[in-house]
Amino acid sequence: MKININGVNYYYEWLSPYEADRLTLVCFHGFTGTSDTFIPTFQKEQDINILAIDLIGHGQTDCYVHPYRYQLDCLCQDIALLTENLGIFQFALLGYSMGARAALGFTCLFPQKVLQLILESGSPGLESKTERMARKRSDEDLAGFIMSRPIEEFVDKWERLSLFDSQKRLPIQTKKTLRQERLSQRPYGLACSLWYMGTGVQPDFWSALANIDIPILLIVGELDPKFQQIAQKMKTKHPVIDIEIVSGAGHCIHLEKPQVFEEVVLTFLSRFTG
């Protein structure tokens, strides 16, 4: 389904039947992803509502809009209006990778709306200006590549990243579906996401962690040491953070170990829903 938020058509999809008296879990996908990425994950009958949203520039949500709409604060304002228009004023929030950065930013901007926060392979950003400038240049170079080459060349390049080595062990059909999802993206949307919402331009949320007064769960893969280290560092800023390390998984746990991921998420949320 689509909904117009200040001139941008956002696509959203209920992954479970909606019931007004249940907790809603809102899901944000990662870079090159769509809301469909969560469909294989949440297969059991749930006692919560699950809402997945195509973030701006991805999937069936508009991409050919003014670039400033890609900025994180604009995206978060759009999501706040989208959920309110659906009658959802408080919810649990789950984000993967880029979506985890967006979810953390949303929680900092709208703390009254988020009841529980789940970050899969997420980061609060880069702390030093030098790191941010270097990443900004890297993101700009990648955006230029995306805009100047066929989408197949970019996807080939993206899939060769060591971050995704563990995905080579996915079932053949899962790999085909994942590749098709990446190939379906529009270059302009991906490039704008990097230019205006990439890690290099993202605000540093490290100092904000201590001020988040809701339960937080970090899910990381055993085969993803970089994000394990980030999770442990985040816990030093917010000691009551829960960390779940999933065996045999890399960066994208919800695709590599969908049943385990589903169980981890639902067990965490059950602590607060009874």
Side-chain angles (χ1 to χ4, degrees):
M1 290 175 280
K2 288 191 176 183
I3 186 170
N4 189 283
I5 304 295
N6 290 332
V8 177
N9 292 303
Y10 277 86
Y11 176 81
Y12 67 93
E13 157 170 29
W14 289 105
L15 304 186
S16 64
Y18 176 75
E19 295 183 21
D21 60 346
R22 301 195 306 190
L23 172 71
T24 294
L25 173 65
V26 177
C27 303
F28 293 167
H29 59 77
F31 184 66
T32 76
T34 71
S35 55
D36 286 350
T37 191
F38 295 107
I39 292 176
T41 304
F42 296 108
Q43 290 290 308
K44 296 178 182 177
E45 186 174 339
Q46 316 292 347
D47 58 2
I48 61 173
N49 305 312
I50 302 178
L51 174 66
I53 301 170
D54 283 358
L55 300 182
I56 192 166
H58 288 73
Q60 298 183 58
T61 289
D62 286 350
C63 80
Y64 299 111
V65 298
H66 196 289
Y68 83 85
R69 296 299 296 273
Y70 283 80
Q71 296 178 58
L72 186 59
D73 58 342
C74 289
L75 170 65
C76 292
Q77 290 167 21
D78 287 349
I79 298 297
L81 287 173
L82 187 160
T83 49
E84 287 176 7
N85 284 346
L86 295 180
I88 306 164
F89 298 93
Q90 288 187 305
F91 47 85
L93 185 54
L94 161 66
Y96 160 64
S97 199
M98 178 191 77
R101 294 189 289 106
L104 181 55
F106 184 94
T107 302
C108 292
L109 286 170
F110 298 99
Q112 74 281 7
K113 289 185 173 295
V114 183
L115 299 172
Q116 297 91 24
L117 178 62
I118 303 172
L119 305 179
E120 175 191 1
S121 303
S123 165
L126 300 170
E127 292 185 273
S128 77
K129 184 177 180 180
T130 302
E131 286 179 305
R132 287 196 296 273
M133 289 302 295
R135 181 57 183 265
K136 184 173 182 289
R137 288 192 294 270
S138 175
D139 286 346
E140 288 173 347
D141 288 345
L142 183 57
F145 184 94
I146 292 170
M147 291 296 288
S148 62
R149 305 291 182 87
I151 188 69
E152 291 83 1
E153 286 191 33
F154 161 67
V155 172
D156 289 342
K157 179 184 178 74
W158 188 248
E159 291 179 342
R160 286 195 297 267
L161 293 177
S162 59
L163 190 67
F164 304 127
D165 280 348
S166 56
Q167 293 182 14
K168 296 173 183 176
R169 300 182 300 182
L170 289 170
I172 292 175
Q173 188 55 51
T174 302
K175 287 192 287 189
K176 286 182 178 179
T177 301
L178 177 57
R179 181 173 174 83
Q180 189 54 48
E181 182 180 57
R182 290 165 171 163
L183 289 171
S184 71
Q185 305 294 345
R186 294 148 297 181
Y188 180 82
L190 296 180
C192 282
S193 292
L194 290 167
W195 283 324
Y196 297 96
M197 201 172 63
T199 305
V201 295
Q202 174 192 309
D204 172 10
F205 292 121
W206 282 101
S207 59
L209 281 175
N211 299 322
I212 298 177
D213 191 25
I214 58 170
I216 302 175
L217 171 65
L218 308 180
I219 308 177
V220 292
E222 175 195 18
L223 307 178
D224 189 3
K226 174 183 176 181
F227 281 84
Q228 282 187 52
Q229 292 173 5
I230 291 172
Q232 295 294 344
K233 186 175 179 180
M234 290 174 70
K235 191 172 177 64
T236 66
K237 305 286 185 179
H238 194 300
V240 297
I241 279 177
D242 289 325
I243 299 176
E244 186 77 31
I245 300 174
V246 177
S247 299
H251 191 65
C252 189
I253 304 102
H254 73 269
L255 281 183
E256 297 176 46
K257 298 289 181 179
Q259 293 176 329
V260 176
F261 184 87
E262 179 185 40
E263 186 65 28
V264 167
V265 168
L266 296 180
T267 298
F268 174 72
L269 294 177
S270 70
R271 291 161 45 186
F272 314 103
T273 61

